Amino acid sequence: MAISEAALDAVPGDLLTRARALQPATVRLRRALHRRPEVGMDLPRTQDQIVRALSDLPVTLHRGRSCSSVVGVLEGDRPGPTVLLRGDMDALPLTEDTGLAFRSEVDGAMHACGHDTHVAMLASAARLLAEDREQLAGRVLLMFQPGEEGFHGARAMLDDGLLETEAGVPEAAFALHVSATTPSGELHHRPGPMMAAADVLRVRVTGRGGHASAPQNALDPVPAAAAMVGALQTAVTRRVAPHDQAVLTVSRITAGTTDNVIPETAELEGTMRTLSEPVRALLRTEITRVCEHTALAHGCTAEVTIVPGYPVTVNDDGASADLARVGARVLGAARCVDMPSPLMGAEDFAYVLGRVPGALAFVGARPDGLDPDTAPPNHSNRVVFDESAMASGVAVHVGIARAVLAR
């Protein structure tokens, strides 16, 4: 897709001002969600909050069948295509340590990735778009998604019929994600791979246990597991081309029960991050080969399990360029930044972008006065987001929808 200059000209230049006028409502919803976070796919309180926030708008709402999603359809006054806007809803299993007046009231749950801001931004964007219905040639599909944090919530919504509502299949899909380490109010974007595929690696090494004073009478799985850690890093540097990016981190090693016993088994667990399906497939094969052969060299065996995670999040070139152009119009060109490289984190909006051309971009939300090198990042139990950045997200959501539906 590519929006025309006429479509870009149809994007009002005062969207940021209008979004700022809605800031009290945006903040109220965000803080209500922040106080009562929910984790995973079952988010009944969050779902009800969203339905209440949109109840006075001309939006047809659908609650999810398999999860606590909300899908809204906003019809424009004229026929035309559909554009999808996503806001994820779920929190993380962390205990908050920010000292905020509106900090989480739920032990072991916190909106540490800013999904509360995503919901609030999309709800306020829906309100502005509803005010502009007569300017919309087509419809807006509002995707409020649970289970982004490892639960494949976007895939579940697709299976529930996200693209089969009365809105039809969208022409384009967009998502915004706040970043606690990026200057507040900036839009960071790039075409092509935006975030990595994430697979989980589990290896069980089996030897033969025995007395720690007589290792010659046992087959110690611990040295085999230790050797695998180094061998796996070598596999990445020797088998993946230098211009391709891949990360393989072994983050857990477990073995043994006491000092004088050689255990029978040792376990490794880690994560594999890649930015293309060919490299992803290559590493799956190499990891299995390296672990099995390293174990064999120590007289042991290895059972390798690679659990597929989210696919690569790939931005459509045209959609990413359109989002950048709209961002420059509503925020100013100086606040729209080209990202030089992808992030190795993962995002399940990848499932949507695998079906619909579109783009994900980041909205900076680092509070003033915090050093970018030491500011608590997303997923920290001390992370704080600058709420004023939400107005930028609202304006960009509305701007890209207005541009796509300016027919």
Side-chain angles (χ1 to χ4, degrees):
M1 61 165 287
I3 58 174
S4 65
E5 286 300 320
L8 186 62
D9 288 342
V11 176
D14 65 345
L15 286 182
L16 186 56
T17 299
R18 292 174 62 195
R20 285 171 174 160
L22 272 182
Q23 184 73 351
T26 309
V27 169
R28 276 196 305 274
L29 178 56
R30 185 261 166 151
R31 292 187 178 185
L33 295 170
H34 194 88
R35 288 189 180 97
R36 304 294 293 170
E38 296 174 296
V39 176
M41 297 286 278
D42 186 23
L43 318 178
R45 289 193 304 268
T46 306
Q47 185 185 54
D48 286 346
Q49 288 263 29
I50 293 168
V51 170
R52 285 197 297 271
L54 303 178
S55 61
D56 64 327
L57 300 180
V59 175
T60 304
L61 297 175
H62 304 272
R63 293 178 185 250
R65 296 194 301 271
S66 68
C67 60
S68 298
S69 63
V70 179
V71 175
V73 179
L74 172 64
E75 291 280 353
D77 273 3
R78 291 173 288 146
T82 297
V83 59
L84 181 151
L85 304 177
R86 194 283 304 258
D88 39 359
M89 306 156 57
D90 55 321
L92 282 159
L94 295 174
T95 297
E96 182 167 353
D97 185 23
T98 62
L100 292 171
F102 55 91
R103 61 187 173 274
S104 172
E105 298 170 2
V106 180
D107 288 340
M110 175 190 176
H111 271 295
C113 201
H115 296 185
D116 51 343
T117 71
H118 301 170
V119 170
M121 290 190 301
L122 187 54
S124 286
R127 187 162 297 278
L128 290 185
L129 286 164
E131 293 176 3
D132 296 345
R133 284 182 66 199
E134 70 281 358
Q135 303 297 326
L136 304 181
R139 62 206 60 81
V140 182
L141 188 63
L142 304 165
M143 176 186 178
F144 293 93
Q145 179 215 311
E148 193 283 322
E149 296 291 354
F151 294 88
H152 303 264
R155 185 174 66 188
M157 289 187 69
L158 289 167
D159 291 343
D160 269 1
L162 172 68
L163 306 184
E164 299 162 14
T165 69
E166 66 272 27
V169 177
E171 181 174 289
F174 298 93
L176 299 177
H177 201 302
V178 293
S179 168
T181 57
T182 303
S184 187
E186 290 187 355
L187 182 73
H188 287 227
H189 56 86
R190 76 183 313 274
M194 182 64 158
M195 299 185 75
D199 298 326
V200 177
L201 165 67
R202 298 192 180 103
V203 184
R204 183 179 179 86
V205 186
T206 302
R208 186 173 65 245
H211 200 290
S213 68
Q216 73 277 9
N217 296 326
L219 292 174
D220 194 343
V222 174
M228 285 177 193
V229 177
L232 287 170
Q233 299 307 311
T234 301
V236 172
T237 61
R238 298 299 90 185
R239 297 294 294 149
V240 177
H243 55 266
D244 288 324
Q245 290 177 267
V247 172
L248 179 59
T249 297
V250 177
S251 52
R252 184 179 70 86
I253 304 177
T254 305
T257 57
T258 188
D259 66 291
N260 62 350
V261 174
I262 291 174
E264 183 170 306
T265 63
E267 296 182 350
L268 304 179
E269 189 172 48
T271 185
M272 182 181 87
R273 305 296 174 110
T274 51
L275 292 170
S276 73
E277 287 302 322
V279 173
R280 191 182 191 189
L282 169 68
L283 274 186
R284 285 173 176 168
T285 300
E286 288 299 306
I287 286 170
T288 301
R289 181 183 64 81
V290 165
C291 291
E292 290 178 346
H293 287 218
T294 302
L296 187 62
H298 288 77
C300 301
T301 60
E303 180 184 352
V304 181
T305 303
I306 299 175
V307 182
Y310 295 165
V312 184
T313 302
V314 182
N315 285 344
D316 177 79
D317 289 356
S320 182
D322 289 342
L323 192 61
R325 292 165 66 203
V326 167
R329 180 170 179 82
V330 300
L331 304 179
R335 303 190 72 77
C336 293
V337 180
D338 290 314
M339 291 174 58
S341 59
L343 299 184
M344 299 308 286
E347 235 293 351
D348 79 342
F349 194 58
Y351 291 118
V352 176
L353 295 183
R355 301 275 296 274
V356 179
L360 177 145
F362 288 91
V363 176
R366 187 181 76 234
D368 288 342
L370 291 186
D371 187 315
D373 295 325
T374 59
N378 292 36
H379 286 226
S380 166
N381 66 334
R382 295 183 296 108
V383 69
V384 176
F385 299 97
D386 177 18
E387 291 180 320
S388 70
M390 292 192 292
S392 296
V394 172
V396 172
H397 270 316
V398 176
I400 192 63
R402 289 286 305 268
V404 174
L405 303 183
R407 301 295 172 98

